[in-house]
Amino acid sequence: MAERWLLTGGSGQVGLALRRNPPPGVDIVAPGRDVLDLSTLIDQGVLELSEFTAVINCAAYTAVDKAETEPAQAHAVNCEAAGMLGIAAAAAGIPIIHVSTDYVFGEGEGPWREDDPIAPFSVYGKTKAAGEMAVKASRARHAIVRTSWVISADGKNFVKTMLRLGAERDVLQVVADQRGTPTYAGDLASALARITARFVADPEQASGVWHFANAGETTWHGLAEQVFACASQHGLKVPTKVEPITTSEYPAPARRPADSRLDFTKIANDFGISPRPWQEAVAEIVARLAGEGQAR
Ligand SMILES: NC(=O)c1ccc[n+]([C@@H]2O[C@H](COP(=O)([O-])OP(=O)(O)OC[C@H]3O[C@@H](n4cnc5c(N)ncnc54)[C@H](OP(=O)(O)O)[C@@H]3O)[C@@H](O)[C@H]2O)c1
């Protein structure tokens, strides 16, 4: 059978990257929310997926702060729909590759390994943790790929927000006491494609959880500094000062982990995936946005 992968979230950062760069010989089918609304998937009965060879679930309710006041909506997409996709994949005998988050971790220090206990603080983190459980319970062959701090030239993300604010203001304050690992959506998409191809080609490939992020670590403040270093190389306006502040000085509705760095030794060992440094990814994104004149 020709390779035909069902992709959810094809309009998001990671889904778009996967659609732009499909592996050779693979037809990626990415129905939008108008065709496949995941918030009501549980009411629609089991999906028929026999025409596909794999499912990649990149869709999610990703508005971390808004989820605090919309827990049912976040749960429907992040947990119920993930479970339904898993059940449909199991019925069709195909694997599901499901994307999850560093925010399933809470108190404690990273880099987090795949088998470290999870204890999410936020509604978003709790619904994503429940989604992982639902995928595992579906009995589909599965890869759960946790990632963190996704950035790209598309959609809404921290790099684009910094470029916009940096063009408007001379002084910015950015949180400097949350540590993490930025992840370029394009690099994650390549990793997902490689994992999916392995699951399709090798029926013996065992299910599991893997972590993927770019190499290295930083804080939001460190990431902002790197964005502005790249932006000034492209002649973009940058702030004169980027002040480090604490999380308590920038209160947000959802509590985030202070340290959500991911350990990705396992993905390197099992799939030969070695991510490049996050600074390279930032440089590529800023160059692309500067070239497109979108970095405002
Ligand atoms: N962004 C991050 O920093 C981050 C960090 C860690 C993990 N992750 C995980 O990485 C994955 C991809 O994230 P991303 O940054 O690419 O997300 P994103 O840019 O926010 O895109 C989310 C995607 O989900 C779709 N979606 C949301 N609700 C839907 C619904 N009810 N029915 C159908 N589609 C729906 C969106 O469609 P519309 O365009 O129609 O809204 C969009 O295509 C997610 O699993 C997320 O939890 C993200």
Side-chain angles (χ1 to χ4, degrees):
M1 180 163 48
E3 283 289 314
R4 204 167 151 78
W5 297 353
L6 175 69
L7 171 69
T8 66
S11 55
Q13 294 189 80
V14 181
L16 269 175
L18 202 47
R19 286 170 63 198
R20 283 201 193 104
N21 206 4
V26 176
D27 184 13
I28 294 186
V29 179
R33 163 196 305 252
D34 51 331
V35 175
L36 187 61
D37 184 352
L38 297 179
S39 63
T40 55
L41 196 58
I42 198 148
D43 305 321
Q44 295 171 29
V46 177
L47 283 175
E48 165 56 47
L49 298 183
S50 56
E51 65 176 291
F52 298 103
T53 50
V55 183
I56 306 179
N57 185 23
C58 289
Y61 183 113
T62 54
V64 176
D65 287 318
K66 205 169 158 206
E68 295 295 313
T69 50
E70 292 191 343
Q73 288 91 324
H75 185 76
V77 179
N78 293 347
C79 174
E80 290 173 354
M84 291 303 287
L85 288 168
I87 290 168
I94 61 173
I96 178 167
I97 313 306
H98 172 74
V99 183
S100 191
T101 174
D102 55 333
Y103 284 6
V104 296
F105 295 108
E107 209 81 62
E109 261 196 44
W112 298 97
R113 293 167 59 97
E114 286 80 354
D115 53 2
D116 283 332
I118 60 173
F121 292 135
S122 61
V123 167
Y124 168 74
K126 286 176 182 158
T127 58
K128 292 292 290 184
E132 292 186 6
M133 295 302 292
V135 169
K136 286 180 188 168
S138 73
R139 298 187 171 274
R141 289 175 62 228
H142 61 266
I144 293 168
V145 182
R146 295 192 190 122
T147 191
S148 56
W149 297 21
V150 177
I151 54 175
S152 68
D154 300 301
K156 281 190 195 161
N157 64 71
F158 183 82
V159 172
K160 291 179 78 176
T161 303
M162 285 301 111
L163 289 172
R164 179 172 50 78
L165 293 178
E168 292 167 7
R169 301 184 197 166
D170 282 332
V171 179
L172 281 188
Q173 296 185 320
V174 184
V175 170
D177 60 358
Q178 289 174 29
R179 300 164 80 186
T181 32
T183 306
Y184 183 35
D187 293 349
L188 173 59
S190 302
L192 293 175
R194 190 186 299 200
I195 292 168
T196 308
R198 168 80 70 82
F199 268 80
V200 171
D202 179 4
E204 302 301 316
Q205 170 62 52
S207 297
V209 180
W210 288 271
H211 288 171
F212 180 86
N214 280 115
E217 65 165 281
T218 188
T219 63
W220 293 114
H221 180 266
L223 178 52
E225 296 261 42
Q226 185 70 21
V227 168
F228 294 129
C230 296
S232 62
Q233 284 174 6
H234 290 280
L236 300 174
K237 181 191 168 305
V238 298
T240 48
K241 201 167 177 196
V242 185
E243 292 175 353
I245 58 167
T246 62
T247 301
S248 57
E249 290 175 282
Y250 186 77
R255 183 175 172 196
R256 274 101 168 142
D259 183 351
S260 69
R261 292 171 299 144
L262 298 175
D263 178 298
F264 37 78
T265 314
K266 189 180 173 207
I267 207 167
N269 289 341
D270 292 353
F271 293 100
I273 292 170
S274 305
R276 61 181 168 156
W278 64 269
Q279 293 92 336
E280 283 181 24
V282 170
E284 195 173 313
I285 295 166
V286 175
R288 190 174 142 202
L289 289 169
E292 290 173 356
Q294 286 184 15
R296 285 187 281 277

